[in-house]
Amino acid sequence: MKHHYSTVRITFLISVLIVLLFFLTVTSLFAAAPLPQAEIMRLGERMYREGILPSGTPMPAFIRGDIEVDSRSFSCSSCHLRAGLGSFEGGVVTPPTTGNKLYKPYRRPPSLGDKSDQAGRFIYAKTVLERPAYTRESLATAMRFGTDPSGQTFNDVMPRYPLSDHDMYILISYLEELSSKPSPGANSGEFKFATIISDDVNQEDRQTLLMPLEKFIAQKNQQMGMYNDFIKFGYTPTADMQFAFRKASLDIWELRGPPETWKEQLTTYQNNNPVFAVLGGISNLDWRPIHDFCEAERLPCLFPITDFPVVSETGWYTYYFNKGYAQEGEAVASYLNRLETLPIRTTILQIIQDSPVGKTLASGFQNSWNELGRPAVITKTLTTNELRNKATLGKLLKKYKPGVLLLWTDAELLTNLPKLISQLSDPKMVFVSSGYLGNKTSTIVEASRNKVYITFPFRLTPYVGPKTGGFDAKVPILTGSKDFGDRRIASRSTTMLQQATLQGLNLIYDNLQRDHLFDVMSMQMDVVVRDYERLSFGSGQRYVSKGCYIIQLGPGVEPTLLPKSGWVIH
Amino acid sequence: MRLQFIIIVPFLLLILMAIFLPATSAHAVSKSYKRTVEKYNIPDIALVNQDGKKVRLQSLLTGDSPVVVDFIYGTCTTICPVLSAGFVNLQGKLAVTSQKARLVSITIDPENDTPKVLKEYLKRYHAKPGWDFLTGSRTDIDIVMRAFNAYIPDKMSHYPLNMIRSPKDGSWIRLFGIMSSREFMEEYQSAIVKQ
């Protein structure tokens, strides 16, 4: 015990000495660092987001009293979030940390956390209800020693940062700029939106996408009118109401010609009339040029209808429903990986139709399979013509005698399935994609159905709409074979609008920063929607539906869908 | 020169304070967490660890060495860093005296937390062997949370919780709240010396 206390004291002593040392070596407190502004912002952002000091070394911090942590594990943005406007998570209220808010006196709105023990739970609200405005000096003290300008000490969650004056100058300069201005495309009275449609999309799909969007904009503007009348008649709006009513406009960004030219077209649109966010959109081609544009512009793009999203762990500015075809391929890898009945030596043959769909399904499978540490499978990419020639596949099967066949091909091959299956060795399993086969999926011949495993990335359990509204509230909607090939454009666009507004735009209040919109949206609870079993969120999570069933078909022309796996397979 | 001296004064004072800080002063402060001693029935289910291996929860949690359990998730913002910093610290402290403990984090976001996400999380915190991070089907995770009387219907409304199992009698010290590293260490020690 005794030994333990002295370690605490020594650690504390050392940290104080470190700070002291900096004070001795750096003579000027807050004299401008000799760096261009852009460089200060870049370095400050790296400290704030990645926990790396301007010198490139990890930023040291002390948490829960004396635990020294490496800020690469978690940094300011973990808790205060990217836009710096704070968070509420796990019972902990993390206050804003932007210059705008810090340099003003702060009075925390009363909250549940005012009682430290709520029904047996501790809530770690900000310890102080009220504090005076910070100055640069008191802000530095707050970060070094954990006390606010009135001398109150922060709770154990906020780390202490022994930073040199030089580094502190950079960090504070960054905080001063952070979320200091509204993002383009928004002001207190209006949001400007766009949606994106590429010219390969047919007229019907285009209309299906636009209908709910245009209705949404019309509604917003009509509500705005009602709200104005409401005020005219002398009612005082509540704080929330002010922010729920804003005018809205929608531009349609049409993309024409080859995807290589999209970036230029998008830039022109955005320069002519900057928007705050892109509400959905649709393309049958690779979404990458749009994804990259939104990353570069830091422009939110919310839930576009695409089967070719960019699968990336670091992408920030596009929310996708899921990983599209890649997710179907991944599901097969996870399923096979967990299949205990599969003999270890089973040969897996992967046939890829040389098309964007075939290749994306295969890359989803392969990436996952590699990550699982499995040996490469035999892979053959065939042109559509080669595939149509029955002999080509027959030869391959004869040669490799696979027990598992991954058939990333379109529906043309379905009639040939019984023949193919007869050429497999045990356990004779064939995997196909319901996305690629579309509405033909249900035509798989009955005799083969118990050998064919189908990826299905949509809801299977009955969907019951929200209790509070909608005419579909009471009748559970059941997924059936009729849903193969459904593009789900209208339902998913409606989900997108609910997400964007109810969970995003209405909750950002007067903090009109695009990053804040993402912070708010990423901290929401799970939601159950019509097309997917569950959407779930979290900081940096950008594919909100994580599941994909492996199913088989029951008998008959309208077969029931029989799940062979859970929604998510680990 | 003079300016520098003025700046130094408060630090000197702080150093003096640190040196003479009475070792017991912290006891005067009321505890910021709630402590109970519990018995739990660990369900006999299989979860998946950061290496993608299936592990039986019962055998993992009921060995001869002390076990510390918490519920976190890969993309959690505020309290998981705090809890995980505690785990890292505990591992470091125990390593010094070559004590062995099993640290087990269980995800409450099983859909997103694939073994890969778990592995990266542990790496980010410089976890050493002996700290496992588990995922599984949502049904199994719910069973585990219920077994520890810690059912969290939605990950966004989770709360800071640590459970320490005494190898002596299999009882668990349940710690609700965020505590200083010293308090955590004291609780840990009290669990393992328990009769």
Side-chain angles (χ1 to χ4, degrees):
Chain A
M1 279 294 157
K2 192 119 213 134
H3 160 80
H4 185 67
Y5 283 124
S6 57
T7 351
V8 177
R9 278 217 306 278
I10 288 168
T11 326
F12 182 61
L13 195 71
I14 291 172
S15 52
V16 170
L17 276 173
I18 291 170
V19 174
L20 185 64
L21 209 71
F22 284 127
F23 274 82
L24 287 173
T25 47
V26 185
T27 36
S28 59
L29 252 177
F30 302 115
L35 284 173
Q37 180 67 8
E39 184 63 1
I40 291 179
M41 288 303 120
R42 189 184 72 80
L43 294 171
E45 183 172 287
R46 198 168 66 156
M47 292 173 84
Y48 186 85
R49 289 188 188 171
E50 295 164 46
I52 295 173
L53 290 174
S55 66
T57 54
M59 185 153 110
F62 291 85
I63 196 165
R64 283 167 74 172
D66 65 342
I67 305 180
E68 178 163 6
V69 288
D70 170 343
S71 294
R72 287 171 307 177
S73 306
F74 58 93
S75 58
C76 320
S77 66
S78 305
C79 302
H80 293 276
L81 303 190
R82 206 186 258 224
L85 292 156
S87 64
F88 176 65
E89 195 241 31
V92 179
V93 177
T94 303
T97 183
T98 61
N100 262 348
K101 310 266 174 186
L102 291 169
Y103 292 155
K104 283 189 201 115
Y106 178 76
R107 188 161 203 299
R108 178 170 62 74
S111 79
L112 282 179
D114 294 346
K115 264 197 254 156
S116 72
D117 187 347
Q118 273 268 317
R121 292 188 187 183
F122 284 87
I123 304 257
Y124 299 85
K126 189 161 163 35
T127 28
V128 277
L129 252 179
E130 221 170 340
R131 61 148 174 77
Y134 280 98
T135 60
R136 286 194 148 206
E137 285 74 14
S138 57
L139 196 49
T141 307
M143 283 184 268
R144 285 177 178 140
F145 305 109
T147 48
D148 79 0
S150 63
Q152 301 238 32
T153 306
F154 301 143
N155 61 36
D156 274 342
V157 180
M158 166 67 194
R160 316 297 192 242
Y161 292 95
L163 295 177
S164 73
D165 273 358
H166 172 259
D167 295 347
M168 188 64 89
Y169 174 85
I170 289 173
L171 180 60
I172 290 181
S173 308
Y174 177 73
L175 298 181
E176 285 170 354
E177 281 299 311
L178 185 59
S179 298
S180 60
K181 289 184 283 293
S183 299
N187 61 50
S188 58
E190 182 179 12
F191 278 125
K192 287 184 183 170
F193 301 116
T195 191
I196 298 176
I197 305 178
S198 63
D199 63 0
D200 55 279
V201 172
N202 67 35
Q203 201 53 27
E204 189 191 333
D205 286 357
R206 181 195 159 86
Q207 275 320 340
T208 317
L209 175 89
L210 284 179
M211 214 143 62
L213 276 170
E214 280 166 352
K215 194 169 131 203
F216 166 77
I217 298 293
Q219 251 167 12
K220 277 252 146 207
N221 292 330
Q222 190 202 9
Q223 283 168 353
M224 187 65 206
M226 278 161 58
Y227 176 68
N228 284 340
D229 288 345
F230 181 80
I231 292 171
K232 242 187 350 229
F233 290 125
Y235 292 100
T236 327
T238 63
D240 300 23
M241 271 170 90
Q242 281 178 49
F243 304 123
F245 295 101
R246 285 189 178 102
K247 273 201 323 201
S249 64
L250 180 75
D251 284 358
I252 300 171
W253 291 359
E254 315 262 7
L255 298 178
R256 298 196 176 83
E260 301 84 73
T261 64
W262 288 0
K263 182 180 169 197
E264 205 186 309
Q265 299 176 48
L266 289 164
T267 310
T268 312
Y269 283 126
Q270 175 68 340
N271 288 347
N272 288 349
N273 188 14
V275 299
F276 185 70
V278 175
L279 297 181
I282 187 167
S283 172
N284 301 314
L285 305 176
D286 192 344
W287 196 261
R288 179 171 289 280
I290 307 170
H291 176 103
D292 289 346
F293 170 79
C294 291
E295 287 299 310
E297 292 286 316
R298 301 187 171 194
L299 174 64
C301 177
L302 306 178
F303 303 109
I305 307 283
T306 168
D307 294 323
F308 301 101
V310 172
V311 177
S312 137
E313 275 160 33
T314 51
W316 196 266
Y317 288 97
T318 303
Y319 255 123
Y320 294 106
F321 281 114
N322 65 15
K323 295 180 186 165
Y325 286 121
Q327 193 148 320
E328 294 183 47
E330 281 182 13
V332 171
S334 310
Y335 182 78
L336 283 173
N337 183 50
R338 279 292 165 225
L339 201 63
E340 271 148 23
T341 52
L342 190 72
I344 303 173
R345 302 203 163 270
T346 310
T347 305
I348 300 175
L349 174 63
Q350 179 177 228
I351 301 292
I352 308 171
Q353 183 162 355
D354 192 2
S355 68
V357 184
K359 284 193 236 165
T360 311
L361 285 160
S363 79
F365 171 81
Q366 265 159 340
N367 291 341
S368 235
W369 196 244
N370 293 344
E371 259 164 33
L372 291 164
R374 293 303 197 112
V377 303
I378 304 163
T379 296
K380 298 286 160 196
T381 306
L382 303 177
T383 63
T384 307
N385 278 340
E386 285 170 321
L387 275 171
R388 301 288 181 258
N389 177 352
K390 289 182 182 170
T392 327
L393 263 184
K395 260 187 229 147
L396 283 172
L397 294 184
K398 228 187 203 136
K399 180 165 175 203
Y400 296 108
K401 301 192 178 55
V404 173
L405 178 64
L406 313 183
L407 218 45
W408 304 135
T409 62
D410 61 21
E412 285 294 312
L413 229 67
L414 288 182
T415 47
N416 203 13
L417 264 181
K419 178 86 199 302
L420 295 177
I421 291 170
S422 71
Q423 287 175 285
L424 299 178
S425 32
D426 282 341
K428 297 186 192 288
M429 299 169 91
V430 180
F431 286 83
V432 294
S433 147
S434 69
Y436 207 173
L437 301 180
N439 56 13
K440 294 270 170 47
T441 308
S442 53
T443 66
I444 293 173
V445 285
E446 239 176 273
S448 306
R449 286 183 186 173
N450 67 342
K451 294 291 174 201
V452 180
Y453 295 77
I454 307 161
T455 55
F456 188 69
F458 296 107
R459 159 180 292 281
L460 274 186
T461 57
Y463 172 68
V464 185
K467 284 204 180 59
T468 45
F471 50 88
D472 64 351
K474 280 173 203 78
V475 195
I477 300 168
L478 265 167
T479 310
S481 55
K482 64 179 184 330
D483 294 303
F484 288 127
D486 183 354
R487 308 248 9 231
R488 298 162 188 268
I489 297 170
S491 55
R492 288 194 286 169
S493 296
T494 307
T495 300
M496 177 277 293
L497 290 170
Q498 274 162 0
Q499 268 296 306
T501 52
L502 297 179
Q503 306 295 338
L505 298 166
N506 287 356
L507 298 180
I508 62 175
Y509 298 137
D510 54 347
N511 302 304
L512 300 177
Q513 282 83 32
R514 293 164 175 170
D515 278 347
H516 185 49
L517 175 69
F518 270 81
D519 287 347
V520 167
M521 287 181 72
S522 70
M523 296 299 286
Q524 67 181 293
M525 294 201 176
D526 296 359
V527 280
V528 166
V529 296
R530 178 169 173 163
D531 295 292
Y532 304 100
E533 294 290 353
R534 181 190 284 262
L535 305 185
S536 64
F537 300 79
S539 189
Q541 295 188 24
R542 291 296 177 264
Y543 309 91
V544 296
S545 168
K546 273 83 175 180
C548 176
Y549 287 108
I550 305 292
I551 61 170
Q552 286 192 334
L553 300 183
V557 277
E558 281 191 24
T560 35
L561 314 186
L562 312 167
K564 302 306 267 179
S565 77
W567 173 238
V568 175
I569 313 159
H570 281 317
Chain B
M1 252 325 265
R2 253 189 65 201
L3 186 75
Q4 270 183 19
F5 181 71
I6 294 169
I7 295 167
I8 293 166
V9 170
F11 288 96
L12 287 175
L13 281 175
L14 270 171
I15 292 174
L16 289 175
M17 264 171 62
I19 294 170
F20 295 108
L21 194 70
T24 49
S25 73
H27 277 304
V29 185
S30 74
K31 284 205 162 78
S32 61
Y33 63 96
K34 196 152 106 186
R35 171 189 200 277
T36 51
V37 179
E38 315 275 352
K39 286 273 182 197
Y40 296 123
N41 287 325
I42 309 300
D44 185 23
I45 51 167
L47 297 179
V48 177
N49 72 8
Q50 65 280 1
D51 300 318
K53 298 259 157 12
K54 287 224 164 175
V55 291
R56 303 233 55 107
L57 195 64
Q58 255 182 11
S59 54
L60 189 71
L61 297 189
T62 54
D64 291 336
S65 46
V67 182
V68 189
V69 170
D70 69 2
F71 293 99
I72 60 172
Y73 61 99
T75 58
C76 154
T77 56
T78 313
I79 67 174
C80 304
V82 183
L83 293 174
S84 297
F87 270 25
V88 178
N89 189 52
L90 186 63
Q91 277 202 317
K93 291 236 163 91
L94 296 179
V96 174
T97 51
S98 27
Q99 294 181 63
K100 281 218 162 46
R102 193 181 277 286
L103 310 188
V104 180
S105 294
I106 299 170
T107 182
I108 52 170
D109 186 13
E111 297 197 348
N112 190 61
D113 284 357
T114 57
K116 182 172 174 228
V117 173
L118 306 180
K119 200 173 191 117
E120 274 161 16
Y121 185 92
L122 292 178
K123 197 167 145 217
R124 193 144 56 83
Y125 281 86
H126 314 293
K128 294 184 207 54
W131 176 3
D132 289 307
F133 196 172
L134 310 179
T135 188
S137 71
R138 182 170 289 277
T139 324
D140 285 344
I141 295 289
D142 283 355
I143 291 173
V144 181
M145 290 194 289
R146 288 213 160 88
F148 279 103
N149 186 22
Y151 177 65
I152 300 155
D154 192 291
K155 67 178 189 290
M156 289 300 168
S157 55
H158 71 152
Y159 38 75
L161 190 62
N162 277 291
M163 264 97 41
I164 309 175
R165 181 177 184 274
S166 159
K168 297 264 175 358
D169 63 356
S171 67
W172 293 83
I173 296 184
R174 179 189 179 90
L175 303 169
F176 193 118
I178 292 166
M179 63 215 80
S180 74
S181 77
R182 184 183 48 72
E183 289 167 321
F184 187 46
M185 200 60 200
E186 278 175 17
E187 294 289 2
Y188 177 79
Q189 297 293 354
S190 86
I192 64 166
V193 300
K194 212 172 122 183
Q195 292 314 315

